[in-house]
Amino acid sequence: MCGIVGYIGKRSGTKVVLDGLEALEYRGYDSAGIALIDGEKSQVFKEVGRVSGLIKTISKQSDVSAPLVMGHTRWATHGGVTAENAHPQTNNDQTIFVVHNGIIENFSEIRTKLEASGYNFKSQTDTEVIPNLIDFYLKQLDSFEAAFKAALADVRGAYSIVAISVREPNTLYAARLSSPLVIGVGDGEHIVASDPSAIMDHTKKVIYLEDYDVAVVTAEKVQVQNLKDHNRIEPKVELLDFDNEQAVLGDFPNFMLKEIFEAPATIKTATLGRARADTGTVKLGGLETVLRQLKHIERIVIVACGTASYAGLIGEYLIEELAGIPVEVHLASEFKYRDEPFSRSTVLLAISQSGETADTIAAIKKVEDFGVLRLGVVNAVGSTIARMTDAGVYCHAGPERAVASTKAFIAQVTVLALIALHLSDGKHPQFKPLLKELEALPAKAQAVLDSAEDIKKIAEKYANYDSFLYIGRNISFPSALEGALKLKETSYIHAEGCAAGEMKHGTLALIDENFPTFAMATDSPLLEKTYSNIQEIRARGGPVVAIATEGNKAIKELADDVIYIPKCEEELQPILQQVAAQLFAYYIASKLGRNIDRPRNLAKSVTVE
Ligand code: AGP
């Protein structure tokens, strides 16, 4: 998704904004631009490609310091990847500059209206209507602020917008609807950004804008008004709880490998202070305020997207087994349009790493008037979903920068196991064994990481196949789905997850010597059945890579290659399986020379529907 950084203050904002855009690079984008205003003087620079290209262009300029600066990294939605379509977009007489993240759904009717009033358009973007609409109202209203608000009132869609103008050289205007925007509060300066990571090197004090908020920002002051009820709001300053060094690569070649190797620490921080094997307790502070309602849950509906939805499917197995509560998992993008029966004893549980995924936000909004409890399992503290839900459990995995989610998935499944144990009230025979397993899990994840070189050798053997099948049974079936997604989104090799028992109902037709299978074959009461599936595949010449439990010798007779993981309670095996599957996908993608942290066509946080 697009990245926004704006600066207003007593020093020059140019480097602050450019550094901020680089911090947002992990979000994925295809062009970048910046506008600078110093009194009546304005400059705009736009480049297709990386922020580094923009920095290079600016470094050749003589004077690029300015107290009012705004920058943008664009992930194309409307219009091709060109400098013309890069942001900032301006009004016809180049006095108003706007950057935008999101989609203006009614931009073509606004554009027609403005063309009828004599405006012309140079870009193919939806964004370009905004500066011209502000200009249109500025001719009728007595202030820029009034014109900015009037323009927003005409706009339908999802947006985070920042506008600056040579007519208001001491003020920055910001607005948000369904797309995140946060204001960093500095000493005699303010930094507006679509993500705190662009701010945290300068200040940890932030103001989160809510939907329909409009902020008028000067070097000294932030005034916020909500356009839905027109209330003036006293901005609430909060503190960020992580900083950039957590996200610094260290000696890893990229964020994805760094984040895979954070699995042991991730499991530790997700369980820290929450699960105690010695006292047999599970304490989830984020659910304290809703403990009474949790006692009367009759059904849980999980909504999520992508990797988070596969974590949700694993959560379904865990909660149904341990707490005996019916659970169903819906892809958020589908849930929005379903007529799903909801009773007051149904709980909605949203799972999201970024906390900004538009589809998941829309799913939560859908049940707003149902009067049901809405919980979140979120990684990004203070994110929209974290603030929309009634309660929840943070993943505490720290910033996840690679587009392919790895440690966040590990954290999500760990947290879902904690929630299942919490809801079980300690009554299930697996309660204590699983608390014990959670304590041992970081070391077991480390053992898988220690075999990375072996996994790499196996992975590189399979780097040139065009397709892959991932199979698993029971709780390892969603693990197979996630393994397939990881391979797809990092290596661009087609991969399909399939319940092992389903193979004979059609998928087996795919199998031949050119179609390998990745089998989750760890210890389980169903292992013999998985063996049969592997034999079905081998009988048709299909190569098989199996993940198996240490000590299993029989698997060596069945599979071409075996990746061993430590013995582990079946309910938590997907965590160790996925550490291995993430490495498998990573090494294939590396072998193929893919853009590891920013795979083509993808963005880290999909803030548009
Ligand atoms: C995960 O590898 C993908 N990048 C993607 O499927 C992601 O899980 C999905 O977009 C949901 O994102 P969220 O967890 O931030 O809501």
Side-chain angles (χ1 to χ4, degrees):
M1 291 299 93
C2 304
I4 290 175
V5 184
Y7 176 91
I8 174 83
K10 56 191 180 191
R11 54 180 171 144
S12 169
T14 309
K15 188 173 180 321
V16 172
V17 169
L18 291 173
D19 290 350
L21 293 181
E22 284 196 310
L24 298 182
E25 277 199 306
Y26 73 93
R27 295 162 70 93
Y29 65 96
D30 37 48
S31 57
I34 190 169
L36 306 92
I37 290 180
D38 187 359
E40 291 188 355
K41 186 182 160 214
S42 65
Q43 300 180 76
V44 179
F45 302 95
K46 304 201 272 191
E47 295 285 341
V48 169
R50 305 269 305 259
V51 172
S52 52
L54 181 65
I55 291 171
K56 210 159 135 215
T57 302
I58 290 174
S59 64
K60 292 177 191 146
Q61 309 301 319
S62 51
D63 174 16
V64 285
S65 62
L68 179 54
V69 183
M70 176 179 72
H72 184 266
T73 51
R74 178 173 179 252
W75 187 71
T77 49
H78 288 78
V81 179
T82 63
E84 201 60 82
N85 288 336
H87 300 199
Q89 289 291 319
T90 67
N91 60 327
N92 288 173
D93 64 14
Q94 309 249 337
T95 55
I96 301 172
F97 306 89
V98 166
V99 293
H100 161 232
N101 182 16
I103 287 180
I104 309 290
E105 287 170 357
N106 60 333
F107 88 94
S108 45
E109 62 194 74
I110 295 174
R111 184 164 167 156
T112 308
K113 172 182 137 184
L114 290 171
E115 282 167 338
S117 307
Y119 288 88
N120 52 61
F121 291 86
K122 300 178 294 295
S123 82
Q124 303 159 302
T125 68
D126 53 345
T127 307
E128 193 180 2
V129 300
I130 302 172
N132 286 300
L133 195 55
I134 296 169
D135 185 275
F136 171 80
Y137 282 113
L138 204 51
K139 292 186 169 74
Q140 307 159 42
L141 299 168
D142 57 359
S143 76
F144 191 93
E145 179 177 340
F148 184 60
K149 291 175 181 173
L152 292 173
D154 283 0
V155 160
R156 268 203 328 276
Y159 57 74
S160 44
I161 291 171
V162 174
I164 59 177
S165 172
V166 288
R167 297 175 180 158
E168 299 274 336
N170 301 313
T171 310
L172 176 149
Y173 296 83
R176 95 152 254 174
L177 176 56
S178 302
S179 181
L181 209 54
V182 58
I183 302 173
V185 182
D187 173 15
E189 63 184 26
H190 286 102
I191 302 166
V192 182
S194 36
D195 178 307
S197 53
I199 293 170
M200 56 191 162
D201 279 351
H202 306 284
T203 177
K204 289 210 174 25
K205 294 193 289 182
V206 293
I207 296 166
Y208 291 99
L209 293 185
E210 302 291 347
D211 281 354
Y212 298 101
D213 278 357
V214 172
V216 178
V217 187
T218 63
E220 298 303 334
K221 207 158 72 170
V222 176
Q223 292 172 298
V224 179
Q225 184 180 17
N226 188 283
L227 291 190
K228 209 168 179 184
D229 49 26
H230 295 286
N231 289 339
R232 291 243 171 240
I233 297 158
E234 184 50 43
K236 185 175 156 223
V237 180
E238 303 180 44
L239 284 180
L240 285 174
D241 83 342
F242 61 79
D243 43 34
N244 251 338
E245 52 265 22
Q246 271 183 288
V248 166
L249 266 181
D251 53 6
F252 284 97
N254 46 58
F255 281 115
M256 183 177 176
L257 191 62
K258 175 178 181 287
E259 288 155 4
I260 293 172
F261 272 78
E262 286 181 25
T266 299
I267 299 164
K268 267 196 204 109
T269 46
T271 52
L272 195 64
R274 293 171 165 173
R276 298 275 306 267
D278 54 349
T279 57
T281 51
V282 175
K283 191 172 168 11
L284 298 175
L287 299 182
E288 293 289 293
T289 55
V290 294
L291 288 179
R292 191 177 47 74
Q293 290 116 298
L294 291 179
K295 295 247 182 273
H296 306 291
I297 304 177
E298 285 174 8
R299 183 165 73 108
I300 296 174
V301 172
I302 293 176
V303 291
C305 302
T307 285
S309 73
Y310 300 140
L313 285 170
I314 292 170
E316 175 180 346
Y317 281 92
L318 292 170
I319 295 169
E320 290 191 340
E321 179 206 344
L322 300 171
I325 299 171
V327 178
E328 54 192 88
V329 179
H330 289 292
L331 291 172
S333 55
E334 284 297 308
F335 179 76
K336 290 182 294 182
Y337 305 110
R338 282 180 69 109
D339 288 331
E340 177 72 26
F342 249 81
S343 73
R344 291 181 65 82
S345 56
T346 303
V347 165
L348 185 97
L349 172 60
I351 304 173
S352 175
Q353 187 287 124
S354 62
E356 300 300 347
T357 301
D359 288 327
T360 310
I361 289 169
I364 300 167
K365 281 187 179 161
K366 173 178 172 177
V367 302
E368 232 156 32
D369 306 333
F370 292 11
V372 298
L373 185 61
R374 294 166 299 158
L375 302 178
V377 171
V378 176
N379 190 39
V381 176
S383 58
T384 301
I385 292 174
R387 286 180 290 118
M388 282 178 78
T389 42
D390 304 304
V393 185
Y394 275 124
C395 290
H396 292 319
E400 181 177 70
R401 295 303 181 89
V403 165
S405 189
T406 52
K407 65 173 181 175
F409 172 84
I410 299 296
Q412 287 162 355
V413 176
T414 304
V415 165
L416 288 163
L418 291 173
I419 291 174
L421 290 166
H422 176 90
L423 293 172
S424 77
D425 262 345
K427 296 191 178 75
H428 193 278
Q430 276 293 88
F431 183 80
K432 282 204 182 304
L434 287 173
L435 281 180
K436 235 161 122 337
E437 189 67 89
L438 280 170
E439 271 186 2
L441 213 55
K444 293 183 177 180
Q446 188 55 52
V448 179
L449 295 170
D450 293 346
S451 66
E453 280 308 308
D454 299 336
I455 295 172
K456 180 179 180 187
K457 284 196 189 76
I458 294 172
E460 291 182 342
K461 280 171 59 178
Y462 292 86
N464 295 312
Y465 286 98
D466 297 327
S467 287
F468 246 95
L469 185 66
Y470 280 68
I471 61 170
R473 284 179 177 269
N474 197 284
I475 201 165
S476 293
F477 165 43
S479 181
L481 294 171
E482 167 57 14
L485 174 62
K486 212 51 62 205
L487 184 67
K488 269 187 283 197
E489 64 176 337
T490 50
S491 69
Y492 316 155
I493 292 174
H494 170 256
E496 177 182 337
C498 176
E502 266 299 288
M503 289 223 359
K504 53 190 173 297
H505 299 292
T507 309
L508 197 57
L510 292 173
I511 299 301
D512 61 21
E513 66 283 1
N514 301 314
F515 206 116
T517 297
F518 193 101
M520 305 296 173
T522 44
D523 286 1
S524 143
L526 300 172
L527 185 54
E528 289 300 328
K529 293 181 181 299
T530 305
Y531 284 169
S532 310
N533 300 126
I534 293 173
Q535 283 158 335
E536 286 162 15
I537 293 166
R538 295 298 305 278
R540 289 155 180 87
V544 174
V545 183
I547 290 194
T549 303
E550 275 164 5
N552 176 346
K553 293 189 174 37
I555 193 70
K556 280 193 169 300
E557 303 310 311
L558 295 168
D560 296 279
D561 293 282
V562 181
I563 297 170
Y564 283 106
I565 63 170
K567 205 164 185 47
C568 173
E569 294 289 344
E570 185 176 12
E571 293 87 345
L572 297 176
Q573 283 176 2
I575 289 175
L576 301 182
Q577 289 169 355
Q578 285 312 306
V579 174
Q582 289 166 8
L583 287 170
F584 183 79
Y586 170 80
Y587 287 123
I588 288 182
S590 300
K591 176 88 176 157
L592 296 173
R594 303 299 189 218
N595 184 333
I596 295 292
D597 285 343
R598 284 190 300 287
R600 68 183 181 192
N601 310 340
L602 300 181
K604 181 61 184 171
S605 176
V606 186
T607 56
V608 289
E609 293 188 29

